[in-house]
Amino acid sequence: MNKSLVTLSIEEFGFALATLGAEDIAAGLLKPMYGELSEQHWELILRAASHSLLSKGLIVRMEDMEVEIEPEFLKMLMHFAQSRSMLRAYSDCFGQEKVLTIHQGTDNNDSYLYHLAVDQRVHLFTWTEPKEWEEELFQFYTGQQGAFFDQMTQFTITEEQWNVLTDENKHTSLETFTSDWELSSEACELLSRWYKAFEASGRQVDNLSIIRYTSDQAEVPLPDHTLLMLRTDQGLWSISSANTNSDNLSIEITQHSATSLRKQLRAWIDCFATPVSNP
């Protein structure tokens, strides 16, 4: 089945949202890009965007103050603006920022909207379903390099230890931190390799999160779950909260094989959407 694919500039996206009455979302997109402009400048930018949408057939009629949007595109925009639950993947690698969000419908049906933003300037939309997401997310985080560790290995540290390792004011040798930590020799070796890669990356990590809005939350809710990703030339690491029987939160750091990364991504997909078995 052929699916509609819509490609928009940030200006076109902002104009379309403003037309629906979602001016706050439109402003949140455009103002970080353009800053504060005069009303005349905004009018010029949005007028050019409206004519571009008209030429693409995404606006079918524009007369005076009335704008008629192509029905399928309108459905996508309404879904994006009204969705209160999303799976969000973020990557900033090789000088390119990418944000992939998958938006669930408000009526909890099986309709999901795929939205990919590249450097916030290009926005892609299409309809999607859970069985497609594992490969999408796998490629999103690994790209064309495909470097993986031979086998999956992981170790666990406490939340307090994690906070010490990631303290921006404490860039020092790992031994300074771990001399009195009760870690096995294998865990120490893995931690040393991970920490070296973490420092070499400039402490920059990608992330995958599940975000759900509720009526009693602020405008920008905290993610329900967050998985951090550290990409290296040798392979990919993930960092997540670990389930333990103690009251203290533990942090699980994993070096991934291709198989273990796919397994972890599937687990996250199943947390967000009803599990879908592949044919």
Side-chain angles (χ1 to χ4, degrees), residues 35-52:
E36 295 294 334
L37 298 178
S38 67
E39 184 176 343
Q40 183 180 14
H41 279 95
W42 281 121
E43 184 178 346
L44 290 172
I45 290 169
L46 296 177
R47 184 185 303 166
S50 68
H51 287 293
S52 180

Side-chain angles (χ1 to χ4, degrees), residues 3-169:
K3 295 189 293 185
S4 300
L5 176 64
V6 173
T7 304
L8 303 175
S9 68
I10 190 172
E11 296 83 4
E12 292 167 340
F13 188 24
F15 175 84
L17 288 170
T19 300
L20 291 184
E23 292 93 347
D24 54 340
I25 303 177
L29 283 169
L30 293 170
K31 283 191 174 181
M33 185 70 67
Y34 284 98
E36 295 294 334
L37 298 178
S38 67
E39 184 176 343
Q40 183 180 14
H41 279 95
W42 281 121
E43 184 178 346
L44 290 172
I45 290 169
L46 296 177
R47 184 185 303 166
S50 68
H51 287 293
S52 180
L53 289 170
L54 191 63
S55 69
K56 290 181 177 181
L58 297 174
I59 289 178
V60 297
R61 185 176 63 86
M62 188 167 58
E63 298 177 2
D64 298 327
M65 299 300 291
E66 293 186 7
V67 176
E68 182 180 348
I69 298 174
E70 190 275 330
E72 188 70 5
F73 180 40
L74 177 61
K75 184 179 177 182
M76 289 181 175
L77 290 171
M78 294 295 292
H79 190 111
F80 178 88
Q82 296 175 355
S83 175
R84 311 299 290 170
S85 181
M86 76 176 77
L87 183 68
R88 182 183 186 274
Y90 175 86
S91 175
D92 188 356
C93 190
F94 306 116
Q96 185 178 71
E97 181 186 60
K98 296 188 297 181
V99 182
L100 167 62
T101 50
I102 296 172
H103 299 263
Q104 188 175 38
T106 54
D107 55 358
N108 293 320
N109 59 19
D110 59 355
S111 179
Y112 295 93
L113 179 67
Y114 173 106
H115 170 219
L116 176 65
V118 181
D119 291 331
Q120 280 300 324
R121 294 185 176 277
V122 178
H123 295 259
L124 302 173
F125 293 90
T126 191
W127 299 109
T128 185
E129 53 187 316
K131 67 181 181 181
E132 301 171 327
W133 302 347
E134 179 190 323
E135 188 62 31
E136 283 285 350
L137 291 171
F138 186 82
Q139 293 298 328
F140 183 86
Y141 287 112
T142 64
Q144 301 302 314
Q145 280 68 25
F148 286 98
F149 297 103
D150 293 335
Q151 62 182 10
M152 184 273 285
T153 312
Q154 60 188 197
F155 63 95
T156 302
I157 58 177
T158 67
E159 183 181 19
E160 181 181 0
Q161 289 167 344
W162 169 257
N163 291 336
V164 169
L165 290 172
T166 57
D167 189 333
E168 287 294 334
N169 298 317

Side-chain angles (χ1 to χ4, degrees), residues 155 157 161 165 174 177-178 181 183 185-197 237 253:
F155 63 95
I157 58 177
Q161 289 167 344
L165 290 172
L174 187 62
F177 303 141
T178 59
W181 292 359
L183 298 175
S185 58
E186 181 183 12
C188 283
E189 181 182 350
L190 283 170
L191 177 57
S192 178
R193 287 164 52 191
W194 173 82
Y195 189 72
K196 182 178 179 180
W237 300 78
I253 300 178

